[in-house]
Amino acid sequence: MVSFSSSFHPGTHNQTIWRFARDGAQHPPRHEEDTIAVEAPIALEFNGLSHAVLLASPCDLADLAVGFAYTEGVIRQASDVYDVQVHAQAHGYVVAIEVASACMQQLKQRRRQIAGRTGCGLCGLESLSEVMRPLEALAEPHHRVQPAAIFAALDALRERQPLHLQTGATHAAALATAEGRIEVVREDVGRHNALDKLIGHLLRTQSLEALSEHMAVVSSRASFEMVQKTAAAGLSTLVAVSAPTSLAIELAQQLNLLLVGFGRQQHFSAYSHAHRLAKA
């Protein structure tokens, strides 16, 4: 069950700005309206216990809460979440998540007590051992990924980011089929939040087991935690528009995840398990 205590702010608002051009003589400064991506503090509370404060786009917050709880290992399955309520407050939003009591011990072990900066998924962990979650390697998929499908997904993603098209300030995470068809897109000012929103939506609406041969496609770089979240959701391929990090590549190798970076219109690079790509 998901309920909302009040309507919450959309992902954008209008801002009056002055626009300047390099050639000020021919193009003097002009006064106009611009569309700005909203960034707000989002406090996550599990069973009344304050756990984390994220800076995020205040839309699809139920997806964010469920996805965050799942990829952080707080919950094991969608049925562990009994209720999600979003409360708008003066300086942000409180998302109250009610989870099964059996999940609370795990939550206390990974509890974060400080605010995470936008796009920073590891802020607040108290030791290096908490960074690496114990995940099993993904099963070897039965199919080979067609490069044409990756290019198709990348092309489609560019047109499926309304917040980015309006503001230029958000990231997107999408689910694509093995054929490269985009099925779901979530956006946020933080790349980790966008992926958590996508995973939360999938967890709430369908079986993750049925999506193992789908791809996660993200508009950002591929960091360690983006790989970890993708693998936690059981997706066997992560396609990123920008570069991966060394730790992301190392983890992708360990977890049997096909990691693609620098996904552009004419080329991409495979950084792990390139044998899973179909050869022309």
Side-chain angles (χ1 to χ4, degrees):
M1 175 182 176
V2 177
S3 56
F4 298 93
S5 63
S6 64
S7 61
F8 51 85
H9 203 290
T12 66
H13 74 81
N14 291 331
Q15 174 75 41
T16 301
I17 65 167
W18 281 97
R19 195 175 299 279
F20 291 78
R22 186 184 185 97
D23 188 349
Q26 292 188 7
H27 302 90
R30 64 183 187 272
H31 204 219
E32 60 183 56
E33 292 289 307
D34 197 9
T35 302
I36 307 298
V38 174
E39 179 181 40
I42 313 295
L44 302 182
E45 294 182 353
F46 291 89
N47 292 12
L49 181 68
S50 179
H51 180 60
V53 178
L54 308 176
L55 293 176
S57 301
C59 52
D60 301 310
L61 292 182
D63 289 342
L64 175 62
V66 174
F68 178 92
Y70 184 76
T71 61
E72 287 292 304
V74 175
I75 63 171
R76 303 151 297 181
Q77 54 202 6
S79 60
D80 286 334
V81 179
Y82 298 154
D83 188 33
V84 180
Q85 294 191 22
V86 179
H87 304 274
Q89 297 191 347
H91 301 293
Y93 303 84
V94 174
V95 184
I97 308 107
E98 183 182 355
V99 299
S101 57
C103 299
M104 291 304 293
Q105 183 61 35
Q106 182 65 23
L107 179 143
K108 291 175 182 177
Q109 290 176 0
R110 292 185 61 84
R111 186 175 179 182
R112 301 198 235 184
Q113 289 284 23
I114 69 171
R117 297 180 179 89
T118 299
C120 178
L122 297 175
C123 300
L125 295 182
E126 295 178 352
S127 68
L128 291 175
S129 64
E130 293 181 83
V131 173
M132 295 276 191
R133 282 191 56 202
L135 296 174
E136 293 185 6
L138 298 164
E140 184 70 12
H142 299 297
H143 77 297
R144 291 291 177 263
V145 178
Q146 297 291 333
I150 292 177
F151 286 123
L154 288 166
D155 289 343
L157 181 61
R158 294 183 184 93
E159 304 303 320
R160 295 283 298 273
Q161 302 178 60
L163 288 181
H164 182 75
L165 291 173
Q166 292 178 72
T167 68
T170 58
H171 287 295
L175 179 76
T177 66
E179 296 74 36
R181 185 179 70 256
I182 297 291
E183 292 191 334
V184 184
V185 179
R186 287 292 181 267
E187 291 185 274
D188 198 275
V189 290
R191 64 186 187 278
H192 299 116
N193 298 335
L195 186 53
D196 274 340
K197 285 180 178 180
L198 174 67
I199 294 170
H201 170 80
L202 299 176
L203 194 67
R204 294 171 57 214
T205 59
Q206 52 195 293
S207 169
L208 292 180
E209 287 77 9
L211 302 174
S212 61
E213 297 192 352
H214 284 57
M215 300 182 285
V217 186
V218 297
S219 65
S220 63
R221 65 185 173 92
S223 64
F224 158 82
E225 200 176 19
M226 299 293 276
V227 168
Q228 185 165 255
K229 289 176 182 293
T230 301
L235 301 175
S236 59
T237 301
L238 173 62
V239 177
V241 168
S242 296
T245 64
S246 62
L247 196 56
I249 296 170
E250 180 182 335
L251 185 64
Q253 291 282 10
Q254 293 174 12
L255 296 179
N256 197 29
L257 181 138
L258 170 59
L259 177 60
V260 170
F262 285 113
R264 307 298 165 85
Q265 288 181 300
Q266 302 299 327
H267 60 82
F268 63 77
S269 300
Y271 290 87
S272 67
H273 299 285
H275 67 278
R276 300 234 312 271
L277 286 163
K279 302 298 189 294

